[in-house]
Amino acid sequence: MEAVGGWCTDCGKPIRAGAVLYTAEARPVCPMCFTRADVSVRRRAVFEGWSTALIGAIANAIPLVIDAMGAWMVAPAVASAGRRDWVALVSGVVAAFCGGATVLEARSRISGRWLVIGALVALLGVYHAVRGAGLAW
Ligand SMILES: [Zn+2]
C-alpha cells in the first residue's frame, strides 16, 4: 500500500506521497501534469521570443533588400554615402527595439540562445539606424 500524499489540482487523481510536485503558483500536481505544464510554459516562452526576434529580423532585412534593389536599378553614385536613408533608419530602430525586447525576454527566462539572437538583431538594427541617419559609412 502506498500512502496518498495528496490530490492533483489539475487532473484530480491521488498522488503518491513523495511524488507530489508543486507548480509556480504552489499548487500540488502529479508528475504527469507537472511535466505537461512545464512543457507548455517552455513552448510559450520560445514562441514569444521567436515572434519578437522575427519582427526584428524582418525589419533588419528590409533595408538590405532595398539596398540590393537600389544597387540594381540606381547607379552606385546616386546612392551616395551620407544621404539620409529613412527606410534604413526606421527599420533599424524597429529592429533594435525588437532585439532589445528579445534580450529582456531571454534574460527573464534565462535562455542563452535567445539572448544571443536578440543581441544580434539589436546590433544589426543599430547599424542600420546609424547608417540610415548618415552618421557612418
Ligand atoms: Zn495530474
Side-chain angles (χ1 to χ4, degrees):
M1 273 300 283
E2 280 170 334
V4 172
W7 280 266
C8 178
T9 54
D10 230 34
C11 65
K13 282 179 191 156
I15 317 163
R16 274 191 301 111
V20 184
L21 292 165
Y22 294 91
T23 65
E25 304 91 53
R27 288 190 298 117
V29 289
C30 68
M32 279 258 285
C33 291
F34 182 82
T35 307
R36 201 164 45 206
D38 196 38
V39 166
S40 70
V41 163
R42 214 175 297 154
R43 199 176 290 153
R44 198 164 57 226
V46 166
F47 177 71
E48 280 169 9
W50 180 82
S51 57
T52 315
L54 184 71
I55 294 167
I58 290 169
N60 271 328
I62 290 169
L64 293 176
V65 169
I66 288 180
D67 270 6
M69 275 165 46
W72 245 41
M73 297 186 293
V74 186
V78 177
S80 60
R83 184 176 54 91
R84 206 171 283 259
D85 185 344
W86 286 105
V87 173
L89 182 59
V90 172
S91 299
V93 169
V94 170
F97 180 80
C98 287
T102 307
V103 168
L104 288 178
E105 182 79 21
R107 270 168 59 96
S108 70
R109 289 171 199 277
I110 315 163
S111 168
R113 190 161 54 105
W114 287 101
L115 203 69
V116 171
I117 293 170
L120 283 175
V121 168
L123 277 175
L124 196 56
V126 167
Y127 161 72
H128 281 312
V130 166
R131 198 182 57 110
L135 297 174
W137 297 284

